[in-house]
């Protein structure tokens, strides 16, 4: 473990630390951030109303729109001059979401990423092939500094130029791969095309995050690279990658670093806090961040927390794999559908490759969904075979989610490949509105 004392802290000790840090965070944000002060005023609460951890439920949520409304620096609790770094995530509409870090924040982030990498199985001296995008996106630099903090030999390759990535992994003998799961799949496919056997490389672990993925996708990646595929979680509004990570011992649920983040799960519709163990929207509060403290940030990620002891000895609660972001949830003819549900079914389906896109259109007043998925290389290409596969997929999706869909089989290579975050949904419903 990177920080044994912190990672194995007893529950009561951990909660006492959380309460202490939460009081400090709220008092500081109240003093330094005018929009924060106004928000508490509107909710009728004051910092001194927080006496126990449960009292946090009386405090208002923060949502992504708060960051946009105070663009770019309005929620910062320190003068802009004391920031050492800015990151931003691209918004689909309008301005990006801007986050900032003091020196202490960058230090904390490196520590938490080092902790996460060690938790996922990395050891000092390993070589990390870091294929997360470098730049405004937090993935590349987050992994980079955490890996250096842990003592890994870090290869800052970023995304793209996939043939060169395969060559470098081979030449340097990478032990750990950091990438989005969809890009890792792209790397595997390019390697196969080059005749390179990834399974023969010294790779031991893949650290995959930044987009929702499924257990069948995990098995697919483990098979193709002969690695353990690990899940890591984070979001730039909270700190970036390194909020939670799976341990390689259990590979079941991601330890959420509770000495620095307070976690709650709420009903996304009513915003009522849910009892431990029930599935709902993850809400996070930062406990130690200086530049951008976040109070009850609604992540939109749907998960479930478990507290049972873990074989690795860590005491921090685990969050189960995020199956979808409520923003990604599609509503097709009134039925909720997450792209990851479709993925879980398509990946590993005989005759299909794990490359797919969901295309939404409107047929008169009705939503229509088409699944475009590739035939596996080497699968029969005759019409009866294709018709049978398409019918099987249609029947299973209908049985699973209750929605009828069209299935279009594509030739190998026809579905666009991920260079970072995969585009799983093409929503054309506005475009062809009558
Ligand atoms: Zn564990």
């Amino acid at each position: 473990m990177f920080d044994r004392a912190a990672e194995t802290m007893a529950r009561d000790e951990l909660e006492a630390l959380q309460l202490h840090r939460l009081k400090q965070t709220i008092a500081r944000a109240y003093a330094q951030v005018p929009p924060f002060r106004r928000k508490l005023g509107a909710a009728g609460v004051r910092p001194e109303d927080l006496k126990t951890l449960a009292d946090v439920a009386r405090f208002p949520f923060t949502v992504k729109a708060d960051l946009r409304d105070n663009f770019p620096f309005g929620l910062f609790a320190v003068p802009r001059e004391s920031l050492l770094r800015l990151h931003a995530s691209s918004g689909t509409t309008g301005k990006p979401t801007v986050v900032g870090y003091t020196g202490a924040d960058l230090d904390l982030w490196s520590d938490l990423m080092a902790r996460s990498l060690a938790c996922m199985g990395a050891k000092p001296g390993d070589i990390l092939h870091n294929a997360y995008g470098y730049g405004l996106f937090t993935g590349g630099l987050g992994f980079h500094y955490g890996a250096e903090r842990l003592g890994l030999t870090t290869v800052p390759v970023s995304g793209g130029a996939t043939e060169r990535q395969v060559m470098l992994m081979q030449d340097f003998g990478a032990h750990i791969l950091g990438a989005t799961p969809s890009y890792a799949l792209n790397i595997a496919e390019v390697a196969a095309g080059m005749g390179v056997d990834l399974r023969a490389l010294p790779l031991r672990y893949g650290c995959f995050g930044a987009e929702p993925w499924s257990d069948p996708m995990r098995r697919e990646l483990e098979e193709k690279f002969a690695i353990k595929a690990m899940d890591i979680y984070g979001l730039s509004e909270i700190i970036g990658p390194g909020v939670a990570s799976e341990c390689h011992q259990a590979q079941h649920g991601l330890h959420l670093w509770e000495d620095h983040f307070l976690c709650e799960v709420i009903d996304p519709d009513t915003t009522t806090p849910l009892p431990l163990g029930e599935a709902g929207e993850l809400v996070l509060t930062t406990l130690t961040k200086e530049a951008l403290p976040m109070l009850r940030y609604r992540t939109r990620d749907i998960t479930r927390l478990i507290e049972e002891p873990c074989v690795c000895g860590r005491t921090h609660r685990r969050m189960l794999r995020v199956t979808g972001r409520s923003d990604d949830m599609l509503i097709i003819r009134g039925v909720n559908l997450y792209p990851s549900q479709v993925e879980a079914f398509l990946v590993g389906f005989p005759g299909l490759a794990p490359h797919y896109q969901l295309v939404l259109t409107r047929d008169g007043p009705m939503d229509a969904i088409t699944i475009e998925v590739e035939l596996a290389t080497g699968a029969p290409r005759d019409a009866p075979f294709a018709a049978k596969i398409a019918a099987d997929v249609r029947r299973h999706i209908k049985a699973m989610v209750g929605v009828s869909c069209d299935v279009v089989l594509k030739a190998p290579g026809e579905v666009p490949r991920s260079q970072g975050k995969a585009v799983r949904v093409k929503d054309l419903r506005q475009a062809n509105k009558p």
Side-chain angles (χ1 to χ4, degrees):
M1 289 185 206
F2 179 74
D3 187 347
R4 181 170 290 276
E7 293 171 56
T8 59
M9 208 178 270
R11 192 81 226 159
D12 53 347
E13 208 185 328
L14 194 51
E15 288 184 358
L17 181 67
Q18 286 185 316
L19 181 61
H20 173 72
R21 288 178 165 176
L22 180 59
K23 284 180 177 171
Q24 282 183 331
T25 297
I26 290 180
R28 214 168 51 80
Y30 192 80
Q32 306 293 336
V33 187
F36 185 91
R37 200 155 53 233
R38 286 196 294 274
K39 207 165 187 177
L40 262 57
V45 283
R46 298 177 55 80
E48 50 274 25
D49 293 333
L50 186 100
K51 300 207 162 50
T52 68
L53 280 180
D55 291 336
V56 78
R58 298 177 54 192
F59 285 72
F61 293 106
T62 306
V63 293
K64 202 174 184 101
D66 292 319
L67 286 147
R68 277 200 299 270
D69 293 347
N70 295 285
F71 179 86
F73 304 147
L75 292 184
F76 289 163
V78 297
R80 201 276 310 146
E81 293 79 357
S82 56
L83 298 178
L84 293 191
R85 180 136 25 110
L86 295 172
H87 278 283
S89 62
S90 52
T92 40
T93 51
K95 297 288 188 190
T97 304
V98 178
V99 297
Y101 301 79
T102 64
D105 291 335
L106 290 175
D107 235 18
L108 167 66
W109 189 14
S110 300
D111 279 341
L112 290 178
M113 263 312 299
R115 196 194 276 195
S116 300
L117 281 160
C119 185
M120 290 183 287
K123 295 195 308 282
D126 282 344
I127 296 177
L128 167 74
H129 182 94
N130 187 12
Y132 281 102
Y134 279 64
L136 285 173
F137 170 53
T138 50
L141 290 174
F143 264 74
H144 184 98
Y145 285 102
E148 291 189 348
R149 177 67 47 96
L150 181 60
L152 305 189
T153 306
T154 308
V155 186
V157 64
S158 195
T162 310
E163 291 205 355
R164 191 184 60 173
Q165 303 239 2
V166 173
M167 233 166 57
L168 289 174
M169 286 170 74
Q170 232 186 344
D171 292 345
F172 294 167
H175 302 103
I176 314 282
L177 168 64
T180 60
S182 61
Y183 187 58
L185 209 57
N186 187 350
I187 294 177
E189 186 183 39
V190 169
M194 293 164 71
V196 172
D197 179 11
L198 291 170
R199 299 179 56 88
L201 303 188
L203 269 181
R204 298 197 320 272
Y205 294 99
C207 304
F208 302 122
E211 61 189 19
W213 54 303
S214 60
D215 269 323
M217 179 72 101
R218 185 206 295 272
R219 290 191 288 277
E220 179 90 14
L221 289 165
E222 292 192 329
E223 219 282 311
K224 286 193 148 71
F225 286 90
I227 51 169
K228 269 192 169 184
M230 310 301 303
D231 197 0
I232 176 163
Y233 175 79
L235 61 173
S236 64
E237 296 88 335
I238 295 303
I239 201 164
V243 173
S245 75
E246 276 184 327
C247 59
H248 65 97
Q249 294 93 337
Q251 230 184 358
H252 176 66
L254 297 80
H255 291 285
L256 202 149
W257 305 127
E258 292 184 272
D259 48 341
H260 297 283
F261 310 105
L262 182 75
C263 50
E264 301 169 76
V265 171
I266 61 166
D267 179 319
D269 298 322
T270 65
T271 74
T272 313
L274 294 173
L276 187 70
E278 281 191 28
E281 179 181 340
L282 181 68
V283 171
L284 291 171
T285 298
T286 65
L287 298 173
T288 46
K289 279 256 302 291
E290 284 186 345
L292 187 57
M294 277 288 160
L295 179 65
R296 305 191 81 203
Y297 184 73
R298 291 190 60 175
T299 65
R300 303 282 166 193
D301 289 324
I302 305 296
T303 184
R304 190 157 82 69
L305 297 173
I306 52 173
E307 204 179 75
E308 62 201 51
C310 186
V311 286
C312 73
R314 292 178 179 85
T315 51
H316 296 226
R317 281 176 186 157
R318 283 172 283 169
M319 54 182 274
L320 295 189
R321 175 190 287 291
V322 169
T323 47
R325 188 160 277 211
S326 54
D327 291 347
D328 297 338
M329 190 181 77
L330 307 171
I331 302 179
I332 312 289
R333 294 176 216 151
V335 175
N336 297 349
L337 174 72
Y338 289 103
S340 54
Q341 287 177 289
V342 177
E343 174 183 299
F345 168 71
L346 292 178
V347 174
F349 193 91
L352 294 180
H355 304 288
Y356 68 95
Q357 259 187 336
L358 311 184
V359 183
L360 309 181
T361 50
R362 187 157 281 150
D363 183 10
M366 296 281 272
D367 295 329
I369 179 166
T370 302
I371 299 176
E372 298 185 347
V373 59
E374 277 181 23
L375 282 166
T377 318
R381 304 289 285 278
D382 57 287
F385 178 79
K388 185 187 172 309
I389 284 202
D392 281 353
V393 172
R394 257 196 309 273
R395 196 175 55 246
H396 276 94
I397 298 283
K398 170 86 182 169
M400 189 173 67
V401 292
V403 171
S404 304
C405 62
D406 281 325
V407 175
V408 174
L409 296 176
K410 298 280 194 176
E414 270 191 351
V415 172
R417 295 297 186 261
S418 161
Q419 300 298 322
K421 288 200 187 198
V423 181
R424 296 301 193 197
V425 178
K426 271 199 301 194
D427 193 343
L428 306 176
R429 284 181 294 186
Q430 287 306 316
N432 51 20
K433 210 171 190 167

